[in-house]
Amino acid sequence: MASLTARHRRPSPSTACRGCERGGSRQAQLSCCERARTQADAPMNRRYFLCGAGLGLIGARAAATPSYDREAVAALRGVESAVGGRLGVLIRDTATGRSIGWRPRERFCHCSTFKLSLAAMALRESDARRLDLAERLAIAPADILEPSPVVASHMAAGRMSILALARASQVASDNAAANILMRRLGGPAALTRFWRGIGDGTSRIDGYEPDINVIPPGTGENSTTPEAMARSLERMVLGDVLAPSSRKLLRDWMAETVSGARRLRAALPPGWSGLDKTGTGMRPGVGNKTNDLAVLLPPDGRGPLVIAAYLETPFAAQVRPRDEAALKAVGDIALTWSRRRKLSPSALGLTR
């Protein structure tokens, strides 16, 4: 494809919520209520992020940062402009402690990305000897909602173990498995408490599939920020939230997950490997959501890259290849930035 647009325009914020009621307008399809709440008066220095290990905004000091940081942030902004939506990203290089981002402190809907944390929560409860992963929970036809491929295939047995439900939630993004497991673990409030317990004061979940795929107007329900979730992702997958055996199991499940093959992991060069969890939502009047949480592992033992990426675009009845290509471009930017190489916008493969 031709080159990424060189025009990095600042998107106009939504100024009213009536667009959601009218439908049809592009801004309405971009969750205008949430945009009005989080963006209308946001200064530019809240939308980009250049920092060291302290994860602090530097705002006016951006001119003092290395050129590759500034180029990477400009490229992220360019991806947003090219795809025609709202993009939120946090990229953290664990080898250096440096991070960059675009809209890192704005709220985005989890969609199915919450299932990674749900699986981690089940494993942590087992580590604490509060949960037996071999416990078998009842499953019924009433639990099935698309997609639920794993639970549907076990319907004849009538029960599944907590371990199997946790794996199905992560690997297959099985909605029935996630709902059954979350009820057993204490419901949405319990998962929110799990995030608080690992130092995430931002992320929250307020219901079950499929209702959690939207942020109700005027609330922060069912949402997180790229900054908060990138930190939680790092703690769960690379940190000490889980015992070593449980952490390995979670990583194995993430490696088995194939739904992100055309998103962040599509940028992996030879020798690299990736772990991820995707989230996807499509709803008229709200728009599409194409999300991915990934840990990218270099072959030389260097510290991994941790990426949280959320994309909102106008409604389409199916996942748009262009939206997944935008997340692939985010992965390209992350890899180029981490290697301190000059970005080539034409290599990102997006046009306006």
Side-chain angles (χ1 to χ4, degrees):
M1 299 177 69
S3 67
L4 175 71
T5 178
R7 295 176 297 166
H8 304 314
R9 297 175 297 179
R10 180 176 179 175
S12 299
S14 174
T15 57
C17 295
R18 289 189 295 274
C20 288
E21 301 171 1
R22 292 195 298 266
S25 73
R26 178 168 171 175
Q27 292 287 31
Q29 291 178 333
L30 292 178
S31 306
C32 73
C33 291
E34 179 66 6
R35 290 170 65 88
R37 182 171 64 255
T38 61
Q39 300 175 42
D41 299 313
M44 242 349 241
N45 67 357
R46 289 184 59 200
R47 298 191 180 186
Y48 63 83
F49 200 72
L50 298 165
C51 58
L55 280 181
L57 286 171
I58 65 172
R61 288 162 47 203
T65 63
S67 62
Y68 49 77
D69 282 0
R70 296 194 301 273
E71 289 173 356
V73 172
L76 291 172
R77 184 182 181 189
V79 170
E80 177 183 74
S81 177
V83 79
R86 183 169 75 106
L87 176 68
V89 176
L90 195 287
I91 303 167
R92 177 166 165 80
D93 185 347
T94 64
T96 65
R98 293 187 63 80
S99 299
I100 58 168
W102 179 250
R103 303 185 188 275
R105 292 177 176 171
E106 293 184 18
R107 284 192 173 271
F108 292 83
C109 192
H110 295 282
C111 295
S112 287
T113 59
F114 84 91
K115 294 169 184 171
L116 168 61
S117 296
L118 182 67
M121 178 185 175
L123 294 174
R124 192 183 199 207
E125 289 297 291
S126 173
D127 291 341
R129 300 184 182 279
R130 294 188 291 261
L131 187 70
D132 181 359
L133 295 177
E135 178 185 343
R136 293 172 63 81
L137 304 182
I139 59 175
D143 295 319
I144 301 298
L145 64 161
E146 292 300 323
S148 300
V150 180
V151 172
S153 70
H154 286 75
M155 197 55 63
R159 290 184 177 272
M160 288 180 64
S161 70
I162 289 176
L163 181 66
L165 290 167
R167 180 184 179 278
S169 297
Q170 164 60 40
V171 176
S173 205
D174 191 298
N175 281 337
N179 285 349
I180 294 167
L181 181 60
M182 187 150 62
R183 289 190 182 97
R184 172 62 181 84
L185 294 178
L191 181 53
T192 299
R193 286 195 300 271
F194 167 75
W195 281 318
R196 298 297 177 269
I198 65 172
D200 182 343
T202 301
S203 302
R204 57 183 289 183
I205 199 80
D206 297 87
Y208 295 87
E209 289 281 12
D211 297 332
I212 53 83
N213 292 296
V214 66
I215 301 174
T219 77
E221 293 181 8
N222 306 316
S223 72
T224 187
T225 67
E227 178 188 349
M229 190 48 63
R231 279 198 170 277
S232 291
L233 177 63
E234 183 175 351
R235 292 178 181 124
M236 291 184 291
V237 179
L238 303 176
D240 60 1
V241 166
L242 300 178
S245 59
S246 293
R247 185 166 61 249
K248 180 183 183 303
L249 185 57
L250 183 65
R251 289 172 63 138
D252 288 345
W253 290 345
M254 293 176 72
E256 287 183 63
T257 304
V258 299
S259 56
R262 291 185 295 272
R263 299 186 187 184
L264 294 172
R265 289 167 70 171
L268 289 173
W272 285 63
S273 59
L275 316 171
D276 81 319
K277 178 69 189 86
T278 59
T280 305
M282 294 164 284
R283 185 170 297 193
V286 175
N288 285 23
K289 299 175 178 66
T290 308
N291 305 336
D292 202 6
L293 307 177
V295 177
L296 306 185
L297 306 164
D300 55 6
R302 188 178 181 273
L305 295 177
V306 175
I307 309 174
Y310 301 84
L311 177 64
E312 295 178 352
T313 52
F315 173 71
Q318 57 188 2
V319 177
R320 301 192 310 174
R322 184 176 182 78
D323 294 345
E324 293 194 310
L327 294 194
K328 191 265 187 186
V330 170
D332 288 329
I333 291 166
L335 289 160
T336 304
W337 168 75
S338 71
R339 289 177 285 185
R340 306 300 186 256
R341 295 179 181 174
K342 187 173 181 62
L343 283 160
S344 174
S346 63
L348 299 180
L350 291 172
T351 58
R352 181 66 174 157

